[in-house]
Amino acid sequence: MEFIDYYKKLGLDSSASAEDIKKAYRKLARKLHPDLNPNDASAKQKFQEINEANEVLSDPEKRKKYDQHGKDWKYADEIEKQKAAQQSQNQRRQSSGGGGGQQYSYASGDEGADFSEFFSSMFGGGGGAQSFSSQSRQNKFRGQDYNAEMTVKLADVFLTHKQDVVINNRTLKITVSAGIENGQKLVLQGQGGVGVNGGPNGDLFITFIVENDPRFKRLGSDLHTTVEIDIYTAILGGEVTLETLNGKVKLKIKPETQNGTEAKLKGMGMPVYKKDGQFGDLYVKYLVKIPVNLSPKEKELFEELAKLDGGKK
């Protein structure tokens, strides 16, 4: 098994903090995502590699095993169990006078033990500890869990749809449920790494990144937006057309609408996740646009209005 330097894949060193790892992964993921590089096989391969690196280094327990055991980190628990069992057997043999069997010893970490050699011998690759090889080949190991991010637009999650995600040269079609929120996770059981010796497959954890929409601010299932209206519509009333995530709607503006007035469109927000037929609300704030570059006649008319208004006081 070739050693892969996960830190190097993310452009970091082993002293990187959890936040450093998160930032480096997201930066590279956005750059190398297959959707942005549809015909670039190299970018696709690099994207898979940084996914694998992030899956290990973002998990404190996995990162600890990787730092200690390198390429054999997935089998760290089994290695330690085998070492403990053999050391216990050696101690029993020594206390009983040694016996005629072969003795095994393991170097401590500061003596530069090569766990790859130990692991190789466990699985029949030659070396000492041959008595363990047949037993170890029967041990079942759970496959590696994978982590991935899926970026979707706010408009995309208004309706349930399917979207492809590429994981280790496999293209999976994922169902994205309507109303899913930024940071929400989806677990696909058995879609991670393949198990060893017939062990179960790992799982795939997908984190959704819902991109902001410049037209709307999302708060839970509610949406907030602003609509500009001219001063004449604000004073006299009228209609404006608003583009929503579910099509265009006409808004009736009441006469004498004040700047900053907010209207509530019930049930026209985002769908509530996993609750069919339930929607949040859409809040519309009206911003009255003051006219500029007035003609002399327009200024004259506004002056007359000002005089009339002053006469009411």
Side-chain angles (χ1 to χ4, degrees):
M1 185 185 300
E2 181 183 356
F3 174 70
I4 300 175
D5 190 333
Y6 291 142
Y7 292 105
K8 187 176 180 180
K9 291 294 181 184
L10 297 179
L12 303 169
D13 57 40
S14 58
S15 63
S17 67
E19 187 63 24
D20 292 335
I21 292 169
K22 182 179 179 181
K23 288 180 179 179
Y25 169 71
R26 288 194 171 183
K27 180 179 179 181
L28 289 171
R30 291 189 179 97
K31 177 182 177 182
L32 299 171
H33 197 282
D35 289 348
L36 301 178
N37 304 274
N39 301 314
D40 190 337
S42 175
K44 181 178 179 181
Q45 178 62 33
K46 290 178 181 177
F47 182 73
Q48 293 164 356
E49 290 173 351
I50 64 169
N51 268 336
E52 181 179 339
N54 179 66
E55 193 279 329
V56 175
L57 298 183
S58 63
D59 185 307
E61 187 63 28
K62 290 179 182 178
R63 182 180 179 182
K64 180 180 178 181
K65 292 177 180 178
Y66 173 77
D67 288 342
Q68 291 179 341
H69 299 287
K71 67 185 179 187
D72 298 328
W73 71 269
K74 287 187 284 187
Y75 308 102
D77 292 341
E78 184 63 22
I79 290 172
E80 295 302 327
K81 288 179 183 177
Q82 294 286 0
K83 284 175 59 180
Q86 185 56 44
Q87 288 170 351
S88 176
Q89 185 177 354
N90 286 346
Q91 290 173 358
R92 288 197 299 271
R93 287 177 176 174
Q94 290 170 1
S95 64
S96 63
Q102 183 179 1
Q103 297 290 315
Y104 300 93
S105 62
Y106 298 90
S108 62
D110 57 1
E111 292 173 333
D114 188 342
F115 292 111
S116 296
E117 292 179 4
F118 168 72
F119 177 72
S120 178
S121 67
M122 278 175 54
F123 284 83
Q130 291 293 331
S131 59
F132 287 124
S133 61
S134 60
Q135 175 186 352
S136 298
R137 279 195 295 269
Q138 297 173 5
N139 291 337
K140 296 181 179 181
F141 296 93
R142 186 177 182 276
Q144 179 181 350
D145 289 336
Y146 291 153
N147 283 306
E149 287 187 350
M150 177 178 283
T151 301
V152 293
K153 299 181 183 299
L154 182 63
D156 292 338
V157 298
F158 191 81
L159 296 173
T160 297
H161 68 285
K162 293 185 180 294
Q163 188 167 326
D164 290 343
V165 61
V166 179
I167 302 293
N168 282 18
N169 293 319
R170 291 184 302 151
T171 299
L172 301 177
K173 194 169 287 292
I174 307 301
T175 297
V176 182
S177 297
I180 203 161
E181 297 197 29
N182 185 55
Q184 196 164 338
K185 291 183 181 292
L186 174 68
V187 182
L188 300 179
Q189 294 183 340
Q191 295 297 333
V194 178
V196 177
N197 293 335
N201 291 349
D203 298 330
L204 171 59
F205 295 82
I206 296 179
T207 301
F208 288 93
I209 307 299
V210 182
E211 292 183 338
N212 293 326
D213 190 304
R215 300 170 296 171
F216 303 98
K217 180 179 180 181
R218 182 184 187 183
L219 295 176
S221 296
D222 293 333
L223 294 174
H224 294 255
T225 190
T226 57
V227 171
E228 282 191 347
I229 57 176
D230 59 54
I231 193 170
Y232 313 107
T233 303
I235 294 172
L236 302 174
E239 284 187 349
V240 294
T241 300
L242 173 65
E243 185 79 42
T244 74
L245 294 178
N246 197 31
K248 295 180 179 180
V249 296
K250 286 188 176 181
L251 303 176
K252 290 187 176 181
I253 311 298
K254 295 180 180 180
E256 301 179 5
T257 292
Q258 299 297 307
N259 184 55
T261 297
E262 192 172 65
K264 175 182 176 181
L265 304 183
K266 188 171 179 60
M268 297 196 68
M270 292 296 294
V272 180
Y273 181 70
K274 293 292 188 181
K275 293 186 178 180
D276 291 343
Q278 294 189 32
F279 293 82
D281 301 321
L282 173 59
Y283 293 85
V284 181
K285 180 180 287 188
Y286 296 120
L287 298 180
V288 180
K289 187 177 180 181
I290 304 299
V292 296
N293 300 321
L294 297 176
S295 68
K297 181 63 176 177
E298 287 173 324
K299 288 182 179 179
E300 182 182 340
L301 291 173
F302 274 110
E303 287 170 355
E304 290 183 15
L305 286 173
K307 291 177 182 179
L308 289 173
D309 189 61
K312 296 177 182 179
K313 297 178 182 179

